[in-house]
Amino acid sequence: MILEVIVDISTDNVDRCFDYVGEDMPLGSRVAVEFGKKQLIGFVVGKKETSDYGDLKTARYLDAPISSEQLELLSFMRTSYDLRYIDALRLFVPAKLREEKDPEYSRKFLTVDGSRPLEQLVEQVGSRAAKQLDALMYIASTGGQFLSVLTSKFGASAISGLRGKGVVIESLVHERSTPLSGLQKQNKKVTLTDSQASAVRRISNGKGVFLLHGVTGSGKTEVYQTAIEEELKRGKTAIMLVPEISLTPQVLGLFRARFGDSVAILHSGLNASERYDEWKRLKTGEAKIAIGARSAIFAPLENIGIIIIDEEHDASYQSENNPRYDTKSVAQYRAALCGAKLVLGSATPDIESYMRATEGDYQLVELPDRISKYALPEMEIVDMTAEFRGGNRGMFSIALREALQQTLDRGEQAMIFLNRRGFASFIRCSECGYIAKCEDCDISLTYHITEHELKCHYCGKRYHEITKCPNCGSDRIKQGKIGTEKVVEELKKLFPKVRVLRMDRDTTQRKDGYFKILNQFASHEADVLVGTQMIAKGHDFGNVTLVGILEADAALYFSDYRASERTFQLITQVAGRAGRADKKGRVILQTYAPRHYVFRYGKTYDYVGFFKKEINTRLVTKFPPYTKIVRVLISSPDEQDAVNCTRDVYSKIRQLEAERGRFVYLGAARSPITRMNGLVRYQVTMRLTPEQFGACISDIYAAADGVRTKGGSVFVEINPQSMA
Ligand code: ADP
Ligand code: ZN
Ligand code: ZN
């Protein structure tokens, strides 16, 4: 039998199979092959009787990690997202299975040789081997440690030195994922409310896709869990996706408490062995529920009864790096393949999801009421242009300053949220709130310092820099930008004794930074937590009674058609942090655009009102879901090469246009982030009607594939989460 094998070589850019001979085996099998001079791992993706090549080498069967259903999903992804085989395959198998022929997931564990006194061991190591001595003392004092931990701490040579001298003893420990050990064990028994019970009934007795729209605190988690339980009773399995940032011990604890060892957790905090361990428990059927961030959609489960995507509006469900894919579409395809239900849950659904629900593609299930007796606090909107005209040039309004003082006096806590997602460099008038926008797209313009001009990221149109406000004539027109550090500084000036914690990309660089800050704040080691959108989600803090939102409109001016949608989601989510438990909360929102409809509806958390307004705007301005934005992103280490490739892509697409009818807006330009990781970035952007999209997307993929950069890449993105 001839096997067509995709060989796992990370350096190769070619998407092709190699022929090998071997016994008959299922597609998706993992094989060991000789490739050049190397022994490598491969995956069988095709079988045939004859080959055009002579003298074929043999592929040896190892195991079959990918099921036929997963293979079907893989092939859907390849055509929908133009993925290379190997990139798609890698999503389905844990790293361990790609690196080693026989993965060892019991881990080596070192202890000191207990049969001799420590002094004797120290003597044997010798005083000149300082590193080895350090390591020895460390092992002795901790009672033993994993080999991998030790080598990363002390270096491989010190540890192998120790092992060579026979002063440590090696054993194999099969350690279950340590991140689980400290989790909550107690399951809280509750009686479902009427709307929860009816939501569960509709989901369990129905089929297809459900949109679960429930305000913050309406008890969606309980609905998910009960719906999963119903499926388990029928002998089915379940996948539950949450945004990576919500994979908190708290959330995981809830599931562990309810479902015990049937839960497998897949998240980025696990090391390769732990990941493999969890994968294997799912594969063998020992675990029946996979919980994780977006990649858990590829979990090796059979017989799936339900797939749940919590916070379905979250941007992280769209993968923006290779391999690029949209988790919701993948989930929908997988659910359909195995006849499972798909539940999309959110307090502020994606505009497209809600539209589909209103059109009947999705079944709308609602949880209109909060469980807690307290309603969500109404937002107080403060007009910062009025404060400015009244002489307050600081970043805190008078109302927020007073509220902070009261909160501190009562010994309660506050959160201050500052919107600093990505790089926003819109131009705003401090006096009247005017924002420079594109005439054609109604999207705020971005200031490009190097060219001294304003640009629209959707159509590429360029505008002169402005120094005077066209609306009121003021010269107080500038880039809106303050940072979290500034906020902390100002807070300390206003309240010298205040204890502040800051959470943003800088303070959470270290892996545990995020949880550490949250824990410190939860145990009241600080009075105020200042942060970016990272603090919008996560723990409930019972003692937080004030939420301040600075620059609430800043997110409105990301040059992005989702700007209003994102802002609505953010402010309602952040505001929901105030008064979660038994204390009443207060929310103060500062903006330069107090009359914007986002705030009008956001004030009372009126999602449906907001949706109706927003969907109409999308219709009028011809943005998704009524159209598709397609961006071809070209990157190269060499500027001239990037320009040439962009020109190539552009002219190929113009040809398509000649055949398929004019695309709306077609720009070819330097990307807003002109350089990333040493590569120059260019983009060709177009807006297609649904009919054009259906007819053209494979041609656009082909056009992009046909262009080769010198050491860079060409990628196609559909409705990208940002145009940066
Ligand atoms: P959501 O995910 O919709 O924001 P949660 O699922 O976090 O809401 O529920 C909010 C709180 O209400 C949680 O503390 C949860 O334990 C509690 N809760 C949920 N359902 C019930 C119920 N039926 N009875 C009592 N408490 C409940
Ligand atoms: Zn434009
Ligand atoms: Zn003005």
Side-chain angles (χ1 to χ4, degrees), residues 438 441 456 459:
C438 175
C441 308
C456 170
C459 68

Coordinates of all heavy atoms in Angstrom, one line a residue, residues 438 441 456 459, ligand 2:
C438 N -13.4 59.4 8.3 CA -13.3 59.3 6.9 C -14.7 59.6 6.3 O -15.7 59.2 6.8 CB -13.0 57.8 6.5 SG -13.1 57.5 4.7
C441 N -16.3 56.2 4.9 CA -16.5 55.0 5.7 C -17.1 55.4 7.1 O -17.5 54.5 7.8 CB -15.2 54.2 6.0 SG -14.4 53.8 4.5
C456 N -7.5 56.5 6.4 CA -8.6 55.6 6.7 C -8.0 54.2 6.5 O -7.5 53.9 5.4 CB -9.8 55.9 5.8 SG -11.0 54.6 6.0
C459 N -10.4 52.2 3.5 CA -10.3 52.5 2.1 C -9.0 53.1 1.7 O -8.7 53.3 0.5 CB -11.5 53.4 1.7 SG -11.3 55.1 2.4
Ligands
ZN2 ZN -12.5 55.2 4.3

